[in-house]
Amino acid sequence: MALTIQSAQSIFSNTQVPSLIPATIALFDQLNVDDQLAYLWYAYTEMGKTITPAAPGVARLQLAESLLTQIKLMSPEEQTKVMRDLASRADTPISRSYGFFSVNTKLAFWYELGELMKQGLVTPIPVGYQMSAGVRLVLEETQKLDQGQQITVLRNTVVNMGFDTSELAPSSYPKAGAEPAFQRTTPTISSVKIEGVTEPAVLGYIEAMNADNFDAAIALFTADGALQPPFQKPIVGTAAIAKYMREEAQGLNMMPQQGICEVRGDGSKQLKVTGVVQTPWFGVTVGMNIAWRFLINPEGKIFFVAIDMLASPQELLQLTRVQ
Ligand code: 45D
């Protein structure tokens, strides 16, 4: 029986319990633009405190420099308009340039805008803003999330800002050739032990990812293999996965704790591993509880891996399968 991505997506399907993350983002999406910016501002003032100041990095900020310079030279009213355009995904030159940024450059751009606000060089949000009931509601919902879930909400809203450039030819705006590396703040975790798991492809994957050795990680996949990030569709094929990893998986600390492995009739194996992941943006201060769901083909290669954000820490121990 040939393995298909569609059937792979449903292994250990009880992992994807309804999550408060998409629910919170759906509430956020219903706010008007000024309310959205105000919500983000309040949320960021709380969560942003623990951002590792070195994370944006000089190289990453250089990629956003021309936009930041333009914004610094604007009047406060123009600055506010830029932020509204970004939040409403308007089609403007700045909103387009932003749309071409990688995820981490988008985060670095906003980080620096926040710094410029503190220095009084960019007008802060909100100016004379009165908090609406809608904003209060979304903030209350956000407080029910754990820290790892909260920073995921913040990251996803920042990623969705700007003009959607996915339909535009990539050549129309310059983009950085290579993604700058994050400086690792903690020593590389070299020997991985996962209670209940000895599968070489899984241990090798975690070890390679913890060393940012994406070539080694990719070599463990089948050519038609797929990786499904949290709340996203699968990314299919090794070239696409490699590009994604270089842009979004740098500097992550992966600390898998336990797992189970089941051999299937055709000799393939399905594994579920749970543990904690740290992003270089927050270092050791925020841990995200996640699950990896692997489908390994009979030859020992990764055909599919999904990464899910867990709804609660209790889910870390939820390793049985519904059947
Ligand atoms: O003025 O095995 C606002 C994969 C507006 C790879 C702002 C993975 C107002 C495979 C925007 C608020 C990657 C999938 C200012 C594993 C305003 C794999 C500024 C998983 C100033 C395990 C806002 C990785 C700012 C995971 C600066 C789960 C906000 C990674 C900054 C998760 C927010 C990473 C930041 C996450 C958020 C990172 C820096 C959730 C970072 C979040």
Side-chain angles (χ1 to χ4, degrees):
M1 191 183 66
L3 302 174
T4 65
I5 290 174
Q6 210 188 357
S7 66
Q9 280 179 296
S10 63
I11 59 171
F12 302 104
S13 55
N14 58 329
T15 306
Q16 293 157 304
V17 289
S19 167
L20 289 171
I21 297 169
T24 308
I25 293 174
L27 284 176
F28 168 85
D29 284 335
Q30 288 169 24
L31 299 174
N32 69 36
V33 172
D34 279 8
D35 281 353
Q36 288 191 343
L37 286 168
Y39 162 81
L40 287 170
W41 172 253
Y42 291 125
Y44 176 64
T45 3
E46 265 316 300
M47 294 174 226
K49 282 186 209 142
T50 49
I51 289 188
T52 314
V58 180
R60 215 175 299 279
L61 285 171
Q62 266 166 13
L63 302 176
E65 195 173 84
S66 97
L67 281 200
L68 290 163
T69 308
Q70 284 180 55
I71 295 169
K72 266 192 275 187
L73 295 172
M74 292 177 174
S75 70
E77 294 73 31
E78 287 170 324
Q79 291 174 340
T80 302
K81 181 172 184 307
V82 167
M83 294 183 226
R84 287 188 178 134
D85 287 343
L86 287 171
S88 63
R89 297 167 213 167
D91 187 1
T92 67
I94 288 185
S95 206
R96 278 192 180 217
S97 302
Y98 179 93
F100 279 107
F101 285 168
S102 70
V103 167
N104 285 318
T105 306
K106 287 176 178 165
L107 293 169
F109 165 85
W110 275 109
Y111 176 84
E112 187 60 14
L113 268 191
E115 294 304 297
L116 295 169
M117 289 174 193
K118 284 186 206 159
Q119 295 163 30
L121 296 170
V122 168
T123 185
I125 284 172
V127 176
Y129 174 84
Q130 299 276 312
M131 199 196 286
S132 72
V135 171
R136 201 165 298 129
L137 174 79
V138 190
L139 283 172
E140 274 163 22
E141 288 306 302
T142 309
Q143 274 158 7
K144 295 181 189 159
L145 307 179
D146 68 34
Q147 268 191 308
Q149 294 168 326
Q150 290 182 351
I151 67 165
T152 305
V153 170
L154 200 55
R155 179 185 192 266
N156 289 4
T157 49
V158 167
V159 169
N160 286 334
M161 283 192 209
F163 187 67
D164 179 3
T165 55
S166 57
E167 306 283 300
L168 301 179
S171 56
S172 51
Y173 279 88
K175 206 187 166 189
E179 209 37 43
F182 280 100
Q183 259 184 331
R184 281 191 173 269
T185 47
T186 45
T188 303
I189 302 162
S190 52
S191 76
V192 192
K193 283 195 185 61
I194 310 172
E195 205 190 304
V197 174
T198 54
E199 180 62 32
V202 171
L203 298 174
Y205 171 85
I206 301 288
E207 214 161 302
M209 295 299 283
N210 274 332
D212 293 332
N213 187 348
F214 303 126
D215 291 339
I218 287 298
L220 298 165
F221 282 76
T222 64
D224 58 351
L227 181 146
Q228 179 177 294
F231 311 112
Q232 287 185 44
K233 291 200 199 80
I235 297 163
V236 185
T238 42
I241 298 172
K243 179 176 179 292
Y244 172 82
M245 284 179 175
R246 278 192 290 270
E247 286 193 2
E248 303 200 30
Q250 286 232 25
L252 295 172
N253 270 337
M254 304 193 187
M255 295 167 286
Q257 292 160 353
Q258 57 266 308
I260 48 164
C261 175
E262 297 171 349
V263 181
R264 309 180 349 148
D266 60 356
S268 64
K269 292 174 194 156
Q270 57 188 40
L271 295 99
K272 177 171 167 180
V273 175
T274 57
V276 175
V277 173
Q278 294 164 344
T279 153
W281 283 100
F282 290 87
V284 296
T285 57
V286 183
M288 288 171 283
N289 300 324
I290 68 152
W292 290 266
R293 293 180 288 127
F294 287 95
L295 183 55
I296 310 289
N297 79 1
E299 289 73 47
K301 292 262 180 176
I302 303 171
F303 174 71
F304 178 82
V305 57
I307 294 89
D308 303 302
M309 298 285 301
L310 297 177
S312 69
Q314 289 76 35
E315 295 288 321
L316 287 169
L317 300 171
Q318 183 57 259
L319 289 171
T320 49
R321 183 160 53 113
V322 270
Q323 191 71 201

